[in-house]
Amino acid sequence: MDKQRILILGGTAEARDLAGRLADRSDLAVTLSLAGRTLDPAPQPVPVRAGGFGGVEGLAAYLGEHTIDLLIDATHPFARQISANARAASEATGTALLRLERLGWDEADGDCWTRVDSVAEAVAALGDDPRRVFLAIGRQEAKAFDAAPQHHYLVRSVDPVDPPLAAPDVEYMLARGPFSVEAEVELLRAHRIDVIVSKNSGGEATEGKIVAARILGLPIVLIERAATVDGHRTDTVEDAVRLADHLLASFRKRGV
């Protein structure tokens, strides 16, 4: 029996975990696609394709050329453009699509969250008075905080922010999670942080700052995700494996 082909759009811990669980399956040929934005990506358990596809048309062409039976979108919860491209390419080619997206964090007793819908709203939520801000949203949108140069920023990212912020009082920290709660508490205290800005990315690797803020009584400006789109979706790797098998079995029965 010919192997069924899966393309995983990755860049998350869940994508790597899912690829690892499918890697040894004799009935599957799995490829993991990485956008190539991280300069030093972690090792992966299956063959990797790096770089963009060239929009919807490029992704659709790849699905056709490589006879992909199932497209799994396991990209970051805030990677909105590639998820939109995946939906459009799936519809254009008739390729089955599964979205694996981890749950966001839940507010608990003692939390002081200001929920916003965009980075621009997060900048405004910091207010006019100077504050010491821990900016933990990655490097791609950090430049937006140049609009509020009165604050001190501690910017943490996996890769350097390039170009750097023009704001006059900025420190940079390069680090890759997971981050322990104890280390995050120490970091926030050492830098005398007043407020954290974070995306509601979910996951254990970066949850330490959320718990640390709870312990220290610090407020968080939390950028929420866009509304979800209907379709085959799951928030766990275990369910993704099960749904992948279900979709592939349906695909085979249709004789596509």
Side-chain angles (χ1 to χ4, degrees):
M1 181 175 63
D2 291 338
K3 291 186 176 183
Q4 289 185 289
R5 299 181 180 274
I6 296 177
L7 176 64
I8 301 175
L9 305 178
T12 60
E14 291 77 19
R16 186 179 187 282
D17 188 5
L18 177 60
R21 297 191 188 207
L22 300 177
D24 295 330
R25 291 267 300 265
S26 60
D27 59 329
L28 301 177
V30 181
T31 301
L32 180 61
S33 175
L34 300 177
R37 294 193 179 97
T38 301
L39 299 179
D40 184 24
Q44 304 294 337
V46 297
V48 171
R49 178 201 178 278
F53 289 93
V56 175
E57 290 184 0
L59 178 54
Y62 183 96
L63 297 176
E65 290 169 7
H66 293 82
T67 58
I68 300 298
D69 298 302
L70 174 61
L71 175 62
I72 300 179
D73 175 13
T75 56
H76 192 275
F78 284 84
R80 295 166 183 151
Q81 187 59 60
I82 185 60
S83 290
N85 290 352
R87 290 192 299 273
S90 166
E91 293 172 0
T93 60
T95 306
L97 173 65
L98 170 60
R99 171 62 171 155
L100 169 57
E101 181 178 311
R102 61 179 177 251
L103 294 174
W105 297 305
D106 291 323
E107 197 167 359
D109 291 342
D111 287 338
C112 180
W113 291 4
T114 299
R115 299 175 185 266
V116 297
D117 293 326
S118 68
V119 173
E121 288 184 17
V123 174
L126 291 176
D128 296 328
D129 295 336
R131 307 171 81 178
R132 296 184 64 83
V133 182
F134 180 35
L135 197 55
I137 63 168
R139 66 186 176 100
Q140 289 185 295
E141 296 174 288
K143 281 287 287 179
F145 289 82
D146 279 340
Q150 70 273 27
H151 305 299
H152 165 87
Y153 295 105
L154 172 63
V155 183
R156 183 169 70 191
S157 58
V158 175
D159 297 315
V161 178
D162 186 20
L165 275 68
D169 194 3
V170 184
E171 293 180 76
Y172 298 95
M173 171 182 294
L174 297 181
R176 186 196 301 270
F179 304 105
S180 71
V181 173
E182 295 78 13
E184 297 290 66
V185 167
E186 182 178 349
L187 176 71
L188 296 172
R189 281 177 171 161
H191 289 269
R192 297 179 288 115
I193 296 299
D194 299 316
V195 58
I196 298 170
V197 179
S198 173
K199 294 179 178 179
N200 193 359
S201 302
E204 297 179 356
T206 57
E207 188 178 15
K209 64 179 178 288
I210 304 297
V211 180
R214 188 175 302 145
I215 292 170
L216 297 174
L218 293 178
I220 300 176
V221 176
L222 197 70
I223 304 167
E224 292 290 3
R225 307 175 186 185
T228 58
V229 178
D230 290 338
H232 299 290
R233 304 178 61 87
T234 181
D235 52 54
T236 68
V237 173
E238 291 77 10
D239 276 349
V241 173
R242 179 180 58 81
L243 280 170
D245 280 332
H246 172 74
L247 290 170
L248 288 170
S250 300
F251 191 87
R252 184 182 288 119
K253 287 177 182 177
R254 291 200 309 268
V256 178

